[in-house]
Amino acid sequence: MPDLLLEFFSEEIPARMQAKAAEDLRKLITDKLVAAGLVYEGARSLVTPRRLALAVQGIPARQPDIKDERKGPKVGAPEQAIAGFLRAAGLASIDQAKVQADKKGDFYVAVIDKPGRAAIEVIAEIVPDVAKNFPWPKAMRWGASSATPGSLSWVRPLHSIVATFGPETEDPEIVRFEVGGIASGDTTRGHRFLSPGAIKVRRLEDYLDKLEKAKVVADPARRADIILTEAKTLAFAQGFELVEDAGLLAEVAGLVEWPVVLMGSFDESFLKIPGEVIRATIRNNQKCFVVKKPDASLANRFILTANTEASDSGAAIVAGNERVIRARLSDAKFFYETDLKIKLEDRLPKFSQIVFHEKLGTQAQRIERIERLAAELAPLVGADVEKTKRAARLAKTDLLTEVVGEFPEVQGLMGKYYALAQGENASVAAAIEEHYKPVGPNDGVPSDPVSVAVALADKIDTLVGFWAIDEKPTGSKDPYALRRAALGVIRILLDNKLRLRLSKLVAKHYGVMAGLVPAIHALSSAKKDVDARDKHGHDGGVSSDLLAFFADRLKVQLRDHGARHDLVDAVFALEGQDDLLLIVRRVEALGKFLETDDGKNLLAGVKRASNILGIEEKKDGRAFAGAPDASLYAQDEERALATAVATAKAEASAAVAKEDFAAAMSAMAKLRPPVDAFFDKVKVNADDKAVRENRLKLLAEIREATRAVADFSRIEG
Amino acid sequence: MEPTRSFQGLILALQRFWADRGCVVLQPYDMEVGAGTFHPATTLRSLGPKPWKAAYVQPSRRPKDGRYGENPNRLQHYYQFQVILKPSPPDIQDLYLQSLKAIGIDTGLHDVRFVEDDWESPTLGAWGLGWECWCDGMEVSQFTYFQQVAGFECAPVSGELTYGLERLAMYVQGVDRVYDLNFNGREGDEKVSYGDVFLQAEKEYSRHNFEHADTDMLFAQFKMAEAACGKYLDAGWDKTSNARKHLMALPAYDQCIKASHVFNLLDARGVISVTERQSYILRVRELAKACGEAWLATEGGSGS
C-alpha cells in the first residue's frame, strides 16, 4: 500500500514548539485520514529547526465505496415533495428509489452509491486544511501576501512543501495542492550552510538518507542522542563528568540540524561563584552544558553544541563562545559580589514598595504575616521560635538581589548562601532555601523544624489569602499554584508526622489577614467588620471551604499512593476532621479493616441497616433517631445487638480518643456477629408498630456507632 | 575601511551593503530614542501599504543601562544599525547572512543561528515574531517580522533587522571591552578608540541619569509632550476635506518620542513606582496609537 511523505520547510521554528508541532501534525493528518476511511498502518513525525515532517505508511490507494441511504417522503406524497427528494438525492426518477415500510406506512428511500475517491485526491484536500489551521502557539504573517486579509499564518515564513504519495515499488506521485501561494512538490533543502542545494526526495527512507548526506539529522531523538553521547565522551576524555540536563538537551536538539559538540573553558577564578549560578548563567544564556569534577564540584569547562562543521574544526566557534561566557560570568560574579555587600535584613524596607497582589497588600505585609504565622507554628512543629521568626523575615529577601533578579530559578538558594555569608544560624539559612519546598511532586520535603514552620506558613498564607479574595483554582487554571501549595502542606505534615488542627489555624490567620490588610477589597465591608470583632470566628466559610480543598488534594495524594478515595470521604464526613495526619491514620486503619471478613460483612450489615432505614424513613416521612426502648425488645438477638452496639460504641470511642484506630476497628469488628444474627432472625418491619419503631431505632444505633470510626455510607462496595 | 578593523568601517560596510540592495540610507533621527525602531522611518513607515526599504544608524539611549563607564559591555548610549524592508522579502534571511559576510563573519568558520525571540514594545503598542541571531553564542542582531505597530496590523508585514553595532564590532575586532574598540582604524598615535570618543560621555550621563536629572522638569516635560502630541494630532485632521486626512502626524509623533525618552529618564532616576510605571507606559502607548492612526491618514501612510 502507498506511503505519504510530507514536509513543511520554513525559517527557524522555536525549539520549545517543535515537539508539540510534530505530534500535532501526526495527529491532525492521521485523524483526518481515518475519518475519510483511509485507515493507515503507521505514522512517524520528524522535526528540525527548519522542517516539520510526517511519514504515513500503508494508506489504501482508494477510499472504500459506501452506500448511503437517504429517507424520502411517504409514498403518495405531493408531487413537489417527491421532486425535491429526487433532486436532493440525485435520482432521475422515483423508480430508482426503494420503498420501505415503517409504523406510519410506506416511504421512499434513495440508495446512493458513493464510490471511494483516490486517496491522493483526498490527501490533497486534507493537507492544506491542516496547514491553514495548524495550532501553532503563536503564528505570524509575512511577505507581500500579508497585505491581503486571510493570508497564510505559520510559525515563521514557510518556504516549501514536500508531499509525495505512492507505493514502495514505484516512484511516488506529488500530491498536488497549494497553500499560501506555495505549490507542493518533491524538493527540499539540506543544511543552511553545509549543503544548501535542492534535494529531490521520494519517501521516508530516501528522505532521511538524503537529508543525512545533506548534513541534516531529521529525527530529534537521534539528535539529542548524538549530543548526549558526544558531550559525555568529551567530558570523560578530560576526566570530568557531564552534568546532565534533560530540558536543556531537548532545547539544544531543537536548535541544530547537524549537531557538532565542542568543549570550551573559562577562567578558574569564576569557580568562586556558587555552582548553581554558573550553571544558570551558562545554561540559560548560552544553552551550554556544564561539567563536574570527580568530587562533584563544577569544572571550569562547558560544552556547546554548534550547528555546523567549521573549516577550522571549531576553533573559532569555541573561542567565540568562551568570550561570551567570560563576559556572562563576569556579570554574574559582579552581581554576586554586589549582593554580598548588602545584608539581607537591610533589603527589607524595599518590600513595602512592592505589591504582592493588589488585593493582598505589599510584600512587606505578606512577610509580616508569614513571620507571625511561622512563630505560631514553631512550637507546634518543635522549632525554635526566634530562629523561625528570623528565617521567616529573611526568607524572601534574596528576591531583591541582583543574582536572583537575573536568574529567578536560584531564589531561596541564593538567600541561603547570602545568609551563611553574613553568619546566620545554619537552620535559618537552610530555611530560606527550603521554605519553597516541596516545589513539585518529586521534590524533597523539608525536615528541619525551622524550615517546616516557615514552609508551612508561606503556603498557608498564600492559600488563605487567595481564598479570602476568592481567587481559587478552577479547572485547569491555577495561576497562583494553589494546588501545589496545598499539596506541599499535606506532604510536609505527613512526611514529618506532624499533628496540626488546620481549621483553627486557617480561621485565625484569616482574621489576622483581615486586620493587617484592611484592603482585602473583595470582602464586603459588613464581613470585614465581623472579622475585626471576632478574629477566630466568622470567615465567610473560607476555612471550611479551604479545608474541603485540602481534602480533595489529600484524596489525590492518597489515590496516587494506592488508597481508596471513598475511604477518605468516609473519614472526612465525620465532624471536625482537620488533622491531616490523623485522617490518614484513620483511613489506613479503615482500609485494613475493610480487607478483613469482619470488615466486609460489617460494612454489608451497616449498609443493609442504612438501606432499610432509608426506605422506612421515607415511607413514614420521619427519622428514627433516639435511644431504643429496652422493654420493647422481643427477641434475644435484639438484646444482644443492643448490648453489642453500646459496647462497640464505648470501646471504639475510647480507642479513638487514644488515637488507636486499629483498636477502634477491632471494637467495631465485634459488632459483626450480632448484626448478622439480628438480620438473620429478626423481622424489622414487625406488625406491632411500637416494636417496628424500636427495631428501626436500633438500626439507627448501628449506623451511629460506626460513625465513631467513619461514615460507612460513603464507602463504596 | 576594513569592517573588522574599525568601528566606522563596520558601519560603512553595512551601509554600503544595504545601499546596494536598494535601501534608502538615512541618517539618525535627530531626537533621543531608546531604539532604532522609534525612528519614524521604522515605526510609521511600517504602517500602511506602501513598500519601503531603509537602512540607518540610530544612536540609542537607555538611561538605566549606564554603568559610569565601568562595565565592559553596558552603555547608556550606543549605536544600532537598523534595516527595515517592507514587505519582508522572501530571501531576507539570506540577505542578512550575506550582510554578515560583508562585515567579515564567515559562516564556514562561525556558528550562526536563529534563536527564538519574540519582540514586543509596550510603549509603541507593537509586536513581532523573529529571532535573536547568534554568532558563536553571541547575540549580534535582532530579526523581527512586525505583526502590529501602534496597535495596527501591519499589512504588509515588514522585516526589521537590528544590529548591535558595538557588540558586533567587539566580536569582529576580537575586543572584550567596548572602550577598547578601534574607532577609526588607525594604529599608533592616530588611533582613536571608542573610549576616546565616548567614555567621558558615559561617565557624565550616568551621573546625570541616575543622580542629577531634574525630575521636576522631567515630570513637567512629560506632561507637556503628552499634551502637545494630543494638540498637534487634533489640529492635524484636515477639516477642509471630507476624506479622512491628517496633515501633521510626524510633528505629533516627535512629541510621543519625547514623552517616551523622558519617561525612561524618570525611570532611571527611580522616581516612578511599580504601579505608576505601568500607567506611564500606557500613556505613551496611547500617544503612539493615535500617531499611528494619524499617519495612516496621511499620504505616506495611505498609499494614495
Side-chain angles (χ1 to χ4, degrees):
Chain A
M1 277 197 287
D3 299 340
L4 169 69
L5 175 67
L6 281 179
E7 184 206 60
F8 294 90
F9 182 73
S10 69
E11 297 176 11
E12 277 74 358
I13 307 168
R16 66 186 170 93
M17 299 177 187
Q18 291 171 16
K20 185 172 178 290
E23 175 54 21
D24 284 343
L25 180 67
R26 190 194 61 74
K27 191 168 178 340
L28 290 169
I29 298 279
T30 55
D31 281 359
K32 284 189 190 280
L33 286 175
V34 171
L38 297 170
V39 179
Y40 60 99
E41 283 166 6
R44 178 183 178 197
S45 53
L46 298 161
V47 64
T48 80
R50 295 173 81 201
R51 58 200 90 223
L52 181 58
L54 174 71
V56 187
Q57 293 93 43
I59 302 173
R62 301 192 72 80
Q63 288 176 310
D65 298 338
I66 42 176
K67 276 190 198 302
D68 212 11
E69 292 205 343
R70 191 187 196 115
K71 192 175 168 184
K74 273 200 270 189
V75 172
E79 200 60 21
Q80 260 178 326
I82 303 268
F85 168 61
L86 292 179
R87 233 186 351 264
L91 299 184
S93 85
I94 200 67
D95 303 341
Q96 291 171 317
K98 283 199 304 187
V99 174
Q100 278 183 9
D102 71 0
K103 279 180 282 184
K104 292 179 191 159
D106 289 348
F107 61 94
Y108 291 112
V109 171
V111 180
I112 306 160
D113 280 320
K114 265 194 167 170
R117 297 163 63 206
I120 194 164
E121 288 173 27
V122 179
I123 295 168
E125 289 167 9
I126 289 177
V127 179
D129 185 38
V130 168
K132 281 174 201 152
N133 301 300
F134 201 80
W136 292 108
K138 255 188 192 173
M140 55 163 277
R141 301 167 297 116
W142 66 92
S145 65
S146 59
T148 324
S151 65
L152 179 69
S153 283
W154 199 251
V155 63
R156 291 294 182 276
L158 182 63
H159 283 262
S160 64
I161 301 171
V162 167
T164 66
F165 185 71
E168 216 170 308
T169 47
E170 294 165 26
D171 260 356
E173 279 182 74
I174 293 172
V175 185
R176 300 281 176 190
F177 57 85
E178 202 187 283
V179 181
I182 299 166
S184 57
D186 60 358
T187 53
T188 183
R189 285 175 185 278
H191 189 276
R192 186 188 278 288
F193 304 116
L194 299 172
S195 183
I199 308 167
K200 191 171 165 176
V201 292
R202 291 143 43 93
R203 70 189 72 258
L204 180 64
E205 306 81 65
D206 172 62
Y207 174 74
L208 289 174
D209 194 46
K210 283 185 177 149
L211 279 183
E212 189 104 10
K213 288 197 179 90
K215 307 287 185 187
V216 173
V217 180
D219 181 356
R222 210 166 82 73
R223 288 196 305 275
D225 201 42
I226 292 170
I227 297 166
L228 184 61
T229 310
E230 291 190 10
K232 280 180 172 171
T233 311
L234 268 180
F236 182 75
Q238 303 228 9
F240 301 124
E241 193 190 329
L242 178 75
V243 176
E244 289 190 37
D245 186 329
L248 178 62
L249 181 63
E251 186 180 3
V252 172
L255 289 173
V256 295
E257 291 204 303
W258 191 250
V260 175
V261 182
L262 299 164
M263 186 185 260
S265 61
F266 52 86
D267 199 278
E268 286 265 3
S269 65
F270 288 123
L271 292 175
K272 275 182 247 160
I273 313 170
E276 293 85 352
V277 178
I278 295 180
R279 185 176 168 191
T281 305
I282 290 182
R283 179 210 149 101
N284 300 9
N285 296 326
Q286 297 310 124
K287 321 281 183 214
C288 293
F289 295 89
V290 291
V291 301
K292 56 187 176 187
K293 301 179 200 156
D295 69 358
S297 67
L298 284 191
N300 63 330
R301 299 285 198 283
F302 64 91
I303 287 179
L304 72 102
T305 311
N307 184 36
T308 194
E309 277 169 358
S311 51
D312 65 351
S313 305
I317 296 174
V318 169
N321 275 276
E322 284 178 343
R323 284 181 49 205
V324 184
I325 281 185
R326 193 187 319 145
R328 295 284 193 182
L329 289 177
S330 297
D331 275 352
K333 187 159 173 267
F334 177 76
F335 291 150
Y336 178 59
E337 285 165 357
T338 308
D339 286 347
L340 284 172
K341 286 179 197 155
I342 301 174
K343 289 202 147 202
L344 291 175
E345 58 267 37
D346 293 342
R347 299 183 182 274
L348 284 167
K350 209 164 175 201
F351 282 121
S352 53
Q353 292 158 29
I354 299 172
V355 175
F356 166 65
H357 182 286
E358 56 166 334
K359 290 180 182 167
L360 293 174
T362 64
Q363 275 281 28
Q365 288 171 309
R366 173 165 147 80
I367 291 167
E368 206 177 313
R369 293 195 304 262
I370 293 174
E371 187 181 334
R372 191 212 61 81
L373 181 56
E376 186 183 345
L377 283 161
L380 305 176
V381 302
D384 179 274
V385 175
E386 283 315 307
K387 281 182 198 161
T388 303
K389 284 171 81 169
R390 178 81 183 157
R393 193 171 325 166
L394 299 184
K396 304 290 180 193
T397 49
D398 69 348
L399 295 177
L400 298 177
T401 62
E402 302 274 344
V403 169
V404 175
E406 198 76 4
F407 307 111
E409 72 266 38
V410 291
Q411 67 177 20
L413 181 76
M414 291 318 294
K416 178 178 83 174
Y417 287 136
Y418 297 139
L420 289 173
Q422 68 180 44
E424 297 293 333
N425 170 279
S427 284
V428 171
I432 295 175
E433 179 186 13
E434 292 178 347
H435 85 281
Y436 290 109
K437 290 175 174 270
V439 176
N442 301 317
D443 194 24
V445 165
S447 58
D448 184 300
V450 176
S451 298
V452 167
V454 184
L456 286 174
D458 182 44
K459 291 168 180 64
I460 293 173
D461 178 73
T462 304
L463 287 163
V464 174
F466 286 103
W467 244 256
I469 60 169
D470 204 21
E471 289 272 359
K472 303 171 213 172
T474 50
S476 60
K477 288 208 186 82
D478 185 8
Y480 303 108
L482 302 178
R483 291 192 180 100
R484 192 172 80 191
L487 188 60
V489 170
I490 291 170
R491 288 187 54 205
I492 293 171
L493 292 177
L494 298 188
D495 284 17
N496 289 297
K497 305 206 176 344
L498 292 170
R499 301 279 309 277
L500 212 60
R501 300 298 306 266
L502 271 179
S503 51
K504 221 173 104 187
L505 208 66
V506 164
K508 181 162 178 201
H509 195 62
Y510 180 87
V512 167
M513 195 164 260
L516 254 184
V517 191
I520 299 188
H521 303 300
L523 304 179
S524 69
S525 55
K527 215 198 268 176
K528 259 189 284 181
D529 290 345
V530 173
D531 292 327
R533 270 199 313 275
D534 177 8
K535 289 191 177 180
H536 299 276
H538 303 276
D539 58 8
V542 164
S543 55
S544 62
D545 194 40
L546 184 52
L547 211 66
F549 183 67
F550 272 112
D552 272 349
R553 293 294 98 199
L554 183 63
K555 261 192 270 180
V556 173
Q557 164 81 355
L558 291 177
R559 193 177 55 206
D560 290 347
H561 288 78
R564 287 166 46 179
H565 66 91
D566 58 327
L567 302 190
V568 183
D569 280 339
V571 172
F572 257 109
L574 303 179
E575 277 291 294
Q577 293 302 312
D578 67 344
D579 184 322
L580 301 179
L581 187 66
L582 281 194
I583 291 167
V584 170
R585 287 199 185 143
R586 215 184 260 253
V587 168
E588 280 167 1
L590 186 59
K592 273 190 198 142
F593 177 55
L594 289 175
E595 277 167 21
T596 64
D597 279 346
D598 280 347
K600 278 178 208 153
N601 282 315
L602 180 64
L603 176 63
V606 175
K607 290 223 157 205
R608 190 165 165 193
S610 296
N611 285 343
I612 294 171
L613 265 174
I615 292 165
E616 300 308 316
E617 285 180 344
K618 199 171 166 196
K619 208 186 280 171
D620 289 23
R622 56 165 287 205
F624 294 100
D629 182 350
S631 66
L632 286 170
Y633 295 141
Q635 289 175 244
D636 286 347
E637 287 79 7
E638 283 177 275
R639 282 179 211 103
L641 179 60
T643 316
V645 165
T647 316
K649 212 167 156 180
E651 282 182 16
S653 299
V656 167
K658 282 190 280 176
E659 295 171 11
D660 185 348
F661 299 112
M665 296 301 162
S666 306
M668 281 298 135
K670 291 183 196 155
L671 265 181
R672 179 198 160 188
V675 167
D676 286 353
F678 177 85
F679 280 123
D680 219 23
K681 298 278 196 276
V682 180
K683 186 182 167 200
V684 177
N685 279 320
D687 300 332
D688 183 320
K689 266 192 181 169
V691 171
R692 169 173 172 270
E693 180 177 337
N694 207 48
R695 287 179 179 168
L696 286 167
K697 278 182 175 169
L698 191 52
L699 290 186
E701 283 289 284
I702 300 177
R703 195 171 59 178
E704 210 34 55
T706 53
R707 285 186 64 90
V709 293
D711 182 346
F712 275 50
S713 67
R714 303 269 182 148
I715 301 173
E716 289 166 8
Chain B
M1 274 282 106
E2 266 286 305
T4 57
R5 301 280 296 279
S6 70
F7 189 60
Q8 64 202 36
L10 177 76
I11 294 173
L12 291 170
L14 283 172
Q15 284 189 340
R16 176 161 294 281
F17 177 88
W18 288 106
D20 287 345
R21 266 94 195 148
C23 283
V24 170
V25 175
L26 296 172
Q27 299 306 314
Y29 202 57
D30 57 345
M31 290 184 70
E32 301 126 312
V33 293
T37 310
F38 277 85
H39 195 310
T42 291
T43 320
L44 297 182
R45 292 273 184 177
S46 64
L47 290 172
K50 278 189 176 173
W52 174 247
K53 285 199 249 182
Y56 54 91
V57 174
Q58 181 62 52
S60 304
R61 298 206 188 208
R62 304 259 168 107
K64 247 184 163 170
D65 283 350
R67 292 294 182 271
Y68 296 84
E70 285 165 17
N71 186 291
N73 303 304
R74 289 208 198 201
L75 301 163
Q76 56 83 40
H77 171 285
Y78 66 103
Y79 285 126
Q80 287 187 340
F81 190 88
Q82 174 86 0
V83 180
I84 181 90
L85 302 172
K86 175 182 164 190
S88 64
D91 59 346
I92 184 168
Q93 275 188 314
D94 287 335
L95 288 172
Y96 169 71
L97 292 168
Q98 287 165 28
S99 76
L100 290 186
K101 201 170 176 190
I103 55 172
I105 294 178
D106 173 7
T107 52
L109 214 52
H110 296 281
D111 182 29
V112 177
R113 255 163 319 143
F114 295 91
V115 179
E116 178 191 13
D117 189 32
D118 300 343
W119 172 82
E120 194 185 353
S121 168
T123 42
L124 282 179
W127 69 276
L129 298 186
W131 310 274
E132 37 181 64
C133 306
W134 285 22
C135 177
D136 300 338
M138 174 149 84
E139 185 196 337
V140 290
S141 314
Q142 282 284 136
F143 192 136
T144 307
Y145 291 99
F146 282 161
Q147 302 294 301
Q148 217 181 61
V149 171
F152 293 92
E153 292 287 313
C154 297
V157 163
S158 304
E160 182 205 44
L161 300 170
T162 305
Y163 303 76
L165 286 174
E166 283 81 358
R167 266 209 221 173
L168 209 45
M170 286 165 74
Y171 194 78
V172 296
Q173 288 190 31
V175 162
D176 284 338
R177 187 172 165 266
V178 64
Y179 302 107
D180 294 338
L181 280 173
N182 187 330
F183 207 108
N184 64 346
R186 298 298 175 103
E187 296 301 331
D189 287 351
E190 289 197 307
K191 174 178 160 178
V192 178
S193 73
Y194 193 92
D196 293 334
V197 183
F198 285 121
L199 182 56
Q200 182 186 333
E202 280 300 312
K203 291 178 180 171
E204 292 191 1
Y205 277 103
S206 293
R207 280 173 216 130
H208 165 266
N209 299 344
F210 293 123
E211 302 164 46
H212 300 288
D214 185 335
T215 54
D216 289 342
M217 176 194 76
L218 290 170
F219 278 121
Q221 281 184 346
F222 185 91
K223 281 197 202 116
M224 288 165 78
E226 188 182 35
C229 182
K231 220 181 279 172
Y232 303 162
L233 283 171
D234 284 346
W237 289 108
D238 183 1
K239 279 137 199 130
T240 62
S241 130
N242 277 337
R244 205 172 139 74
K245 264 189 154 275
H246 203 279
L247 304 171
M248 230 164 26
L250 289 165
Y253 180 63
D254 280 355
Q255 297 305 316
C256 168
I257 295 181
K258 181 124 211 137
S260 173
H261 177 65
V262 169
F263 160 71
N264 287 340
L265 280 170
L266 286 166
D267 197 27
R269 286 282 274 123
V271 291
I272 293 183
S273 75
V274 184
T275 32
E276 280 174 328
R277 202 169 178 277
Q278 196 51 34
S279 90
Y280 272 95
I281 289 173
L282 284 175
R283 282 161 75 179
V284 178
R285 173 164 34 190
E286 287 315 310
L287 300 182
K289 282 186 170 174
C291 291
E293 187 188 358
W295 166 261
L296 283 168
T298 65
E299 197 188 323
S302 66
S304 58

